[in-house]
Amino acid sequence: MCRHQPQCPPADARDREAALLVAFHPEQGWWLLCNGVVIFDDTGELLPDGRSVPARRALCERAT
């Protein structure tokens, strides 16, 4: 999938988030990386094979 030199880390690598940004929609809360990983603004991830990676941080609750 990646045509960059050096190539971006594959989706199953520990450093997969180091891949280059291909598309982003911050208004919708997601970013697509060159290796096919979708990262969400809560730090959760969707891998190209359909597996999900849970968020590493909880969203802050708003005090009312």
Side-chain angles (χ1 to χ4, degrees), residues 14-56:
R14 290 181 59 123
D15 62 344
R16 64 180 158 257
E17 293 175 5
L20 295 177
L21 187 63
V22 174
F24 63 100
H25 291 276
E27 72 283 359
Q28 296 176 357
W30 62 271
W31 295 261
L32 174 64
L33 301 180
C34 181
N35 57 8
V37 174
V38 177
I39 299 179
F40 297 98
D41 60 3
D42 68 353
T43 69
E45 300 175 3
L46 183 61
L47 302 181
D49 63 4
R51 290 181 294 145
S52 63
V53 177
R56 292 182 300 278

